[in-house]
Amino acid sequence: QKLEGMVTDQNGVPIRGVKVNTWDGKTLRQAVSDRDGKFSVSGIVPGTFFAVRLTRSTCETVRMEGLRFPDNEKLFLSAEFVQISAGSDHIVKLPSNPSTGYSWTALVKGREDILSLKEKITGQPDDKSEAGGQLKGRPGYETWKFSALATGRSDLLLAYRRSWEGSVVPLRYHICSVTVR
């Protein structure tokens, strides 16, 4: 059982040296992101709820709890540390394949007085079928556009799952830690 992940900044640039701690109530497991921003944590028991803390070398840290490890062998967790100015927007673009019924949902919405969701768009690659429509079954992406309303910090937790499978563990998680200056 392996938790794999990647940590980036708001431009998608990998962040090296981020300490990744997971805690399942019994065991603390640790990893550090490499030069590609990637990390891996082994040994989390399937079905187990756990918390994760990501700490940058700048001492900036984000903690999320209530994540759950799926019954299969792997879970992917992406995370981004974002710094933006009040009045500006931040776009989160996540891989998605809506034809499978999976989509991203916000499990933790953060401080909506600081960061507000403006719009959520499901898109596909630019390839079109001969009829001019989108190709069905092709992976695409979801774009979440947020507006920074006030200074402060807002941490979001997004999960990739089928909305009607409430008790089924998400396939992926994405943490977005936004500092508005």
Side-chain angles (χ1 to χ4, degrees), residues 93-137:
K93 191 172 180 180
L94 299 165
S96 178
N97 188 346
S99 68
T100 62
Y102 284 91
S103 65
W104 289 92
T105 56
L107 297 183
V108 175
K109 294 183 179 179
R111 295 212 25 211
E112 295 179 272
D113 58 326
I114 293 174
L115 195 68
S116 172
L117 178 62
K118 250 176 132 168
E119 62 181 326
K120 177 181 167 183
I121 304 162
T122 301
Q124 299 237 321
D126 293 334
D127 304 336
K128 304 269 186 199
S129 70
E130 291 175 13
Q134 298 288 354
L135 292 173
K136 301 277 186 240

Side-chain angles (χ1 to χ4, degrees), residues 16 20 46 56 65 67 75 81 92 95 114 118 149 165:
R16 176 187 200 153
V20 180
R56 294 182 66 171
E65 47 188 53
L67 288 80
L75 176 64
F81 285 92
V92 178
I114 293 174
K118 250 176 132 168
L149 304 177
E165 294 180 335

